Amino acid sequence: MSLTRSLCRPWRPLLAALAAVSLLLPAPWGGAQGVDNPAAPVSPTTVTLVCGPLPFVSDGSACERGIGAELARAACDKAGLACLFQQLPWPRAQKEVEMRQADILIGPFHTADREAWLDFSREHFYVDQMWLFRPVSDEGTLPDDLSISTIGVPLGWAVGGDLDKWPGVRVEAVRTVDLALNLVLSGRLDAVAAHARAVARYHASHPDRRLLPVGRPLSVQRSYMGFSKPFAGTLERRLFEAAYESLLTDSLYAEILARNKPFPEMRTEVAMRGHRFVAPP
């Protein structure tokens, strides 16, 4: 027996063991979908979107109506993404994204607190002015802010204006904006912080009641698409946002705005993704 053959014999069990282990290891990335098997099916990643029942931005049991909802659906179609939509109470919709149970939140306003758990789209799709609303007095005089001691804020809303720092004023969280408006009209609250489109929808269903804004706007807020932190760095987010941004320069966006505007006299400004009113709301 040669010296070379005798030296190779101890390695034979080791080589056999390595070969056996290699059969147990997963194939390299893309192996099941690579050149050897190009027709293997790829399971699409389902993107989960949630919305709150906010008038003219997200409304409908599966986020099927409203500016934000319709834009999100069109972006999913354009990007070729498999998307699942669900409408939830606004605080719960936010919590779903914060707890990483959903990928995209439709229509959140940008706040510093939300940056901790939400990545905002580069572009917004709607602009709101937030006001304090009060009912017209029995004498027909316009409301003022001199006798405000209690202000209702819909649960989960970002209204701005540092209301909690107003001297002598108590801020109360109210479950929905419609409930807050009912409490104002019944005299249990002095004012409610809201945007004009919410009040417009309320007026449409309560034509015998009238609320008007007080003083100057509390803040100007913009509606974005919000992405959960894990979803923010994915290919699906990039595909969705690219499609979403392209829609903002498309005629479809102008059609969605026109179809969902809360006031007939509202003039939509497509290029600025905002609006202004020819007459006060």
Side-chain angles (χ1 to χ4, degrees):
M1 181 182 298
S2 68
L3 178 62
T4 303
R5 289 179 63 187
S6 64
L7 289 175
C8 289
R9 281 179 180 175
W11 294 98
R12 289 177 181 174
L14 177 60
L15 293 174
L18 290 174
V21 170
S22 68
L23 295 175
L24 300 177
L25 294 175
W29 182 87
Q33 303 155 15
V35 176
D36 294 336
N37 191 10
V42 179
S43 299
T45 300
T46 299
V47 179
T48 303
L49 297 91
V50 290
C51 66
L54 300 177
F56 305 104
V57 170
S58 303
D59 204 3
S61 59
C63 314
E64 65 265 17
R65 298 190 304 272
I67 298 169
E70 293 176 41
L71 278 172
R73 285 183 172 275
C76 282
D77 291 342
K78 188 168 187 177
L81 297 172
C83 292
L84 175 66
F85 292 80
Q86 186 178 16
Q87 179 170 288
L88 302 167
W90 184 242
R92 184 182 166 192
Q94 295 180 73
K95 185 60 68 175
E96 287 286 304
V97 178
E98 182 178 357
M99 300 303 293
R100 306 180 178 188
Q101 301 301 310
D103 301 310
I104 302 176
L105 176 64
I106 299 173
F109 293 156
H110 187 286
T111 69
D113 292 342
R114 290 173 178 172
E115 286 184 344
W117 52 270
L118 199 63
D119 198 63
F120 290 86
S121 60
R122 289 180 292 265
E123 302 290 349
H124 60 276
F125 64 83
Y126 202 79
V127 178
D128 271 311
Q129 288 183 335
M130 307 301 293
W131 297 81
L132 287 181
F133 283 88
R134 302 193 73 182
V136 178
S137 68
D138 294 336
E139 295 77 21
T141 58
L142 296 179
D144 58 46
D145 59 356
L146 299 178
S147 58
I148 293 177
S149 61
T150 55
I151 297 174
V153 175
L155 196 62
W157 282 34
V159 298
D162 293 328
L163 295 177
D164 56 339
K165 297 180 181 178
W166 286 24
V169 171
R170 185 175 75 254
V171 178
E172 297 186 9
V174 184
R175 186 165 53 86
T176 67
V177 64
D178 284 1
L179 179 57
L181 294 170
N182 284 334
L183 292 174
V184 168
L185 288 165
S186 66
R188 295 174 61 185
L189 290 172
D190 295 321
V192 59
H195 42 58
R197 56 188 161 86
V199 179
R201 186 182 68 169
Y202 186 84
H203 284 162
S205 58
H206 301 81
D208 58 327
R209 303 181 180 185
R210 188 68 177 167
L211 296 108
L212 291 175
V214 176
R216 302 174 64 182
L218 296 172
S219 64
V220 175
Q221 303 283 359
R222 293 171 173 82
S223 295
Y224 293 84
M225 298 293 173
F227 309 106
S228 71
K229 290 297 185 180
F231 182 77
T234 64
L235 172 63
E236 288 80 8
R237 181 260 174 91
R238 294 195 294 273
L239 292 172
F240 177 90
E241 188 159 16
Y244 160 72
E245 289 184 352
S246 70
L247 288 169
L248 296 178
T249 61
D250 191 274
S251 60
L252 176 63
Y253 175 58
E255 295 170 9
I256 292 173
L257 279 177
R259 186 166 60 251
N260 290 282
K261 62 182 180 181
F263 302 100
E265 66 270 19
M266 190 183 89
R267 176 180 173 185
T268 55
E269 304 289 350
V270 175
M272 297 300 294
R273 291 177 298 283
H275 65 256
R276 63 186 177 88
F277 299 100
V278 176

